[in-house]
């Protein structure tokens, strides 16, 4: 496989165990690893020396690790740990080539680096390739069994377990089918896992919880090179998108961001290098009280300087630690056991007294850490309770059930945390911290309870406002005899719906009936307040509403078309109808009638006092009491009164004054229309014209030429009448009509003369006839042109109004 230009490599750890800090920083920069975020994978390989690990990696990942020269003999090729970036594989994949095990260069006894490097590979890798010979399957040493056993045991003690894929690569596969080799290999791995001592928390944890085991087989590279390359190419496909769900490392855990990989690897290697078994110092037995004191002081100083204790003490200042009590008890037991071992031959009384003093000093030293841990457990439990409580409420669980379940669960979790932190030597009481946590939980529940109630109330109040405000406004705007019954129906329907919804929502709060009833009553009062506020708002604009209604009814007919006052309309009846409708609006707005027993006579009172009053009633009102001369309505309380009778009377007076102009304008328009449509003279004038004009009429009958002249004059006058639209001009009044006609008369006459001249010039344009026959024909043509001119003038009579308009 050709090497890609993307490949870059460096030595991560040299053969002496020194971490190459500058080298890995340069390598990560060249590989552009920080840009990958969490989208990267780490693959490492381990196995016996000279087993073809580097060769496999170079063919599998297109890396450039140094390979062994078979012609120079088998010897150590890779020293320490090398790292390289794979070429052409997504996501970004780093490969680590580990120094081979069982090498003669280190010898049989120096296996520390082999264990450390293997442990390092398992700690940082997502996929670990274990290279092994096919003929070594089932053998104890060649299959790396002791190495795997040590690595499993130490890894669980040093690191948080992470999911790692172990891919066993069987090299130089023989005729034995893989189906027969794989069960044997898996059985050996399971036996190693079962034999490894485990912490209590992972005693029953299966191997699959920490590792995915894969087994593949490859042919011999030297004997079947082409087949080997084909198998490697096929295997390479499994490393594409290896961290995606379903990939080789799809279920990995605890991934370090790519930008922190260098620092993480350094710290892991540092911990691995420093984690050596402690050699217990040899102490000589001394037979004196002073020596027991010295031993106790030494143990106290050793405990105070103990690295594990210091790390534990430092870590507990920033947060809770799982297994704190167990770890600290182990350190204390070790310290006291060492004291007992060293002071066992001393006087029993002195030895026991000094031991109790040592216990007291040790407990005084660790008590602040214990109290800090309790504080962290309490605050952490409280925070998790809040989160779980909010999640339970968000998931639709009832408030009371969620509060009870979460409280019980997290108080039990706090008790578990306290039991995990118990110091065997001490009998410290944790009840005060527990009580403090319980009070905090109850306070949080109370605050959330109040907040949820406010939220629910606000939610249903908002729904009520949306459901009542706009419909009530629409009903009040179209005020009629069914307005308040409709508002009451709307009010009851929406209020009952909201109260029912809120009551159902409150059922999960485990409230007493009195408190629940008060909340529901407040919601009903709010709904009433919304309707009353909207009614008061509309009552403040009642005069505008009345004028709008009057204008709508007065200026438009029953088909909502604008009225044209032609003189046939009964303005008095129309005015009375419009004012009655406006008065209806005033009576509706005068008081709030949300209750079924709100019965009043406001409309009749207003109608009798303001609309239906006759002259006799007006005269009688001088002596009788005015029904509107009061500040209250009968049968209506002051709290429900929006417009008092006195205010109604004042508003009506103002309303009539402001609408009187519209009525007078309509009357004027009607009279003007009548005048414009009446063009005939009075009958007596027609009779006088017939009697006085009898002689002139007889003269016209005796001389038909006069009749022709009068007819032509009539046509001209008719044409002028149509062209000038005299009837339309006089509709706006006599003076405006005369002024307008004076400006249009001369241009209209000039226009008519011009058109007559054009019509008369048309026959002249043709060749004139020379003989009498043509002359008589011309005479007939002249007559026909006169007829055409007459028809044109008549035609203009009907066409000019549309042109003028």
């Amino acid at each position: 496989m050709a090497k890609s230009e993307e490949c870059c490599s460096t030595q991560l750890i040299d053969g002496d165990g020194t971490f190459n800090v500058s080298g890995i920083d340069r390598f990560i920069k060249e590989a552009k690893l920080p840009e990958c975020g969490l989208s990267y994978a780490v693959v490492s390989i381990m196995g016996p020396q000279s087993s073809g690990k580097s060769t496999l990696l170079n063919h599998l990942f297109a890396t450039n690790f140094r390979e062994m020269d078979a012609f120079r003999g088998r010897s150590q090729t890779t020293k320490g740990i090398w790292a390289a970036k794979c070429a052409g594989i997504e996501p970004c994949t780093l490969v680590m080539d580990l120094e081979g095990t069982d090498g003669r260069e280190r010898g049989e006894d120096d296996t520390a680096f082999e264990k450390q490097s293997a442990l390092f590979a398992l700690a940082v890798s997502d996929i670990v390739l274990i290279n092994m010979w096919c003929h070594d399957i089932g053998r104890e040493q060649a299959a790396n069994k002791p190495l795997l056993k040590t690595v499993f045991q130490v890894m669980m003690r040093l690191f948080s377990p992470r999911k790692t894929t172990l891919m066993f690569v069987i090299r130089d596969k023989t005729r034995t089918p893989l189906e027969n080799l794989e069960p044997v290999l898996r059985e050996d791995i399971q036996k190693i896992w079962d034999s490894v001592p485990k912490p209590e928390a992972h005693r029953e944890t299966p191997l699959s919880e920490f590792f995915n085991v894969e087994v593949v087989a490859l042919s011999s590279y030297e004997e079947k090179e082409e087949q080997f390359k084909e198998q490697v190419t096929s295997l390479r496909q499994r490393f594409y998108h290896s961290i995606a769900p379903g990939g080789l490392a799809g279920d990995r855990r605890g991934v370090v961001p790519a930008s922190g990989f260098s620092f993480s690897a350094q710290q892991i290697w540092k911990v691995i290098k420093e984690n050596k078994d402690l050699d217990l110092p040899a102490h000589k037995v001394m037979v004196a009280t002073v020596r027991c004191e010295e031993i106790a002081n030494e143990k106290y100083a050793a405990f105070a300087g103990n690295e594990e204790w210091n790390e534990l003490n430092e870590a507990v200042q920033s947060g809770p630690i799982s297994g704190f009590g167990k770890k600290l008890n182990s350190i204390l037991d070790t310290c006291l056991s060492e004291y007992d071992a060293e002071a066992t031959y001393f006087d029993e009384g002195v030895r026991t007294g000094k031991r109790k003093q040592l216990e007291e000093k040790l407990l005084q030293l660790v008590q602040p850490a214990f109290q800090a841990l309790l504080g962290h457990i309490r605050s952490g439990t409280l925070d998790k309770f809040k989160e779980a409580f909010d999640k339970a409420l968000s998931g639709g669980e009832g408030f009371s059930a969620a509060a009870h379940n979460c409280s019980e669960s997290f108080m039990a979790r706090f008790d578990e945390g306290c039991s995990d932190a118990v110091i065997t030597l001490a009998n410290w009481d944790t009840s005060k911290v527990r009580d403090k946590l319980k009070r905090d939980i109850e306070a949080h529940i109370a605050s959330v309870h109040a907040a949820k109630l406010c939220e629910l109330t606000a939610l249903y109040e908002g729904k009520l406002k949306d459901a009542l405000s706009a419909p009530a406004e629409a009903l009040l705007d179209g005020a009629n005899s069914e307005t308040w019954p409709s508002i009451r129906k709307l009010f009851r329907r929406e209020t009952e719906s909201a109260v029912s919804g809120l009551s159902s929502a409150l059922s999960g709060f485990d409230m007493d009936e009195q408190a629940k009833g008060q909340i529901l009553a407040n919601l009903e009062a709010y709904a009433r307040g919304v309707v009353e506020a909207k009614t008061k708002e509309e009552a403040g604009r009642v005069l505008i509403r009345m004028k709008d209604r009057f204008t709508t009814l007065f200026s438009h007919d029953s088909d909502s078309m604008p009225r044209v006052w032609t003189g046939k309309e009964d303005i008095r009846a129309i005015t009375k109808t419009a004012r009655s409708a406006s008065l209806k609006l005033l009576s509706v707005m005068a008081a709030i009638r949300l209750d079924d027993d709100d019965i009043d006579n406001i409309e009749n009172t207003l109608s009798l006092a303001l609309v239906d009053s006759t002259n006799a009633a007006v005269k009688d009102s001088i002596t009788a009491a005015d029904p509107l001369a009061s500040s209250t309505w009968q049968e209506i309380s002051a709290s429900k009164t929006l417009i008092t009778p006195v205010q109604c009377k004042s508003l009506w007076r103002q309303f009539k004054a402001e609408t009187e102009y519209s009525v007078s304008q309509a009357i004027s328009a009607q009279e003007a229309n009548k005048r414009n449509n009446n063009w005939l003279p009075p009958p007596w004038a027609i009779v006088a014209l017939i009697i006085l004009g009898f002689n002139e009429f007889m003269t016209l009958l005796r001389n038909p030429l006069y009749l022709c002249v009068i007819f032509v004059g009539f046509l001209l006058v008719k044409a002028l009448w149509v062209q000038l639209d005299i009837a339309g001009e006089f509709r706006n009044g006599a003076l405006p009509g005369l002024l307008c006609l004076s400006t249009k008369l001369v241009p209209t006459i000039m226009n008519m003369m011009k058109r007559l001249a054009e019509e008369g010039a048309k026959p002249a344009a043709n060749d004139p006839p020379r003989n009498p026959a043509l002359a008589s024909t011309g005479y007939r043509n002249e007559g026909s042109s006169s007829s055409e001119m007459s028809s044109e003038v008549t035609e203009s009579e009907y066409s000019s109004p549309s042109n003028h308009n």
Side-chain angles (χ1 to χ4, degrees), residues 300 334 354 460 659:
Y300 179 82
T334 301
K354 294 301 180 183
Y460 281 95
T659 57

Side-chain angles (χ1 to χ4, degrees), residues 356-402:
K356 289 191 175 295
Q357 292 179 6
L358 176 60
E359 288 178 2
E360 292 175 358
K361 291 175 65 177
L362 291 175
L363 292 178
Q364 290 176 359
L365 179 63
V366 302
Q367 187 175 17
F370 177 77
Q371 293 297 333
L373 177 62
L374 287 183
H376 290 311
I377 294 175
R378 184 193 66 80
S379 60
T381 303
L382 180 61
D383 292 339
K384 291 178 180 178
F385 165 80
K386 293 178 180 179
E387 181 180 351
F389 186 46
D390 293 341
K391 186 176 181 180
L393 293 178
S394 301
E397 187 174 355
F399 185 90
S400 298

Side-chain angles (χ1 to χ4, degrees), residues 235-248:
L235 179 60
R236 176 184 173 88
Q237 299 300 319
R238 300 185 63 183
F239 287 88
Y240 283 94
H241 306 291
S242 58
I243 62 175
L248 285 176

Side-chain angles (χ1 to χ4, degrees), residues 766-785:
N766 300 326
D767 189 13
R770 297 297 181 180
N771 54 43
L774 292 178
S776 62
T777 305
Y779 177 78
R780 287 194 299 268
N781 289 339
E782 182 179 356
S784 64
S785 64

Side-chain angles (χ1 to χ4, degrees), residues 169-180:
V169 182
I170 302 174
R171 303 295 297 275
D172 294 357
K173 179 181 174 300
T174 60
R175 294 182 179 180
T176 304
L178 179 62
E179 292 78 7
N180 296 337

Side-chain angles (χ1 to χ4, degrees), residues 251-420:
D251 55 350
R252 62 180 183 168
R253 299 190 296 261
V255 183
V256 177
S259 58
F261 178 78
S262 173
F263 178 77
S264 175
Q266 295 175 43
Q267 295 303 309
I268 289 174
W269 182 250
K270 179 181 178 182
V271 172
I272 292 174
K273 288 289 291 182
E274 294 178 356
N275 190 67
K276 298 179 179 179
D277 295 334
L278 298 175
D279 295 329
L280 297 176
H283 296 283
K284 294 181 180 181
V285 178
M286 299 181 65
V287 284
T289 303
V290 176
R291 185 55 186 154
C292 286
E293 179 77 22
E294 290 177 354
I295 293 174
N297 290 337
E298 287 175 3
K299 297 310 167 188
Y300 179 82
F303 179 86
N306 183 281
E307 182 178 356
E308 187 177 356
W309 153 248
N310 288 329
E311 290 179 356
L312 199 63
N313 187 31
E314 183 178 354
V316 81
Q317 303 304 321
S318 58
I321 298 177
S322 177
F324 174 85
K326 183 178 180 180
K327 295 176 183 178
L328 190 54
N329 283 326
S330 175
I331 301 173
L332 289 171
D333 291 344
T334 301
C335 179
L336 294 174
S337 298
E338 291 176 359
Y339 172 84
D340 292 337
E342 294 186 30
T344 185
Y345 297 107
F346 295 138
D347 180 77
E348 184 177 356
V350 175
R351 184 178 72 245
T352 304
K354 294 301 180 183
R355 192 182 195 278
K356 289 191 175 295
Q357 292 179 6
L358 176 60
E359 288 178 2
E360 292 175 358
K361 291 175 65 177
L362 291 175
L363 292 178
Q364 290 176 359
L365 179 63
V366 302
Q367 187 175 17
F370 177 77
Q371 293 297 333
L373 177 62
L374 287 183
H376 290 311
I377 294 175
R378 184 193 66 80
S379 60
T381 303
L382 180 61
D383 292 339
K384 291 178 180 178
F385 165 80
K386 293 178 180 179
E387 181 180 351
F389 186 46
D390 293 341
K391 186 176 181 180
L393 293 178
S394 301
E397 187 174 355
F399 185 90
S400 298
H404 179 268
N405 295 337
C406 291
S407 298
E408 293 293 330
S409 174
F410 283 90
M411 289 304 296
R413 190 173 297 185
F414 173 79
D415 293 337
E416 292 177 3
C418 289
S419 63
D420 185 57

Side-chain angles (χ1 to χ4, degrees), residues 672-673 675-679 718 720-734 737 741 744 801 804-805:
N673 192 287
R675 288 195 303 268
N676 292 335
N677 292 332
N678 190 12
W679 294 99
K718 184 66 175 177
L720 282 174
W721 182 277
V722 173
Q723 290 290 332
L724 295 175
D725 191 18
I726 296 176
E729 297 295 343
F730 277 98
R731 287 175 186 168
N732 300 323
L741 290 175
K744 294 167 58 177
H804 176 69
N805 293 334

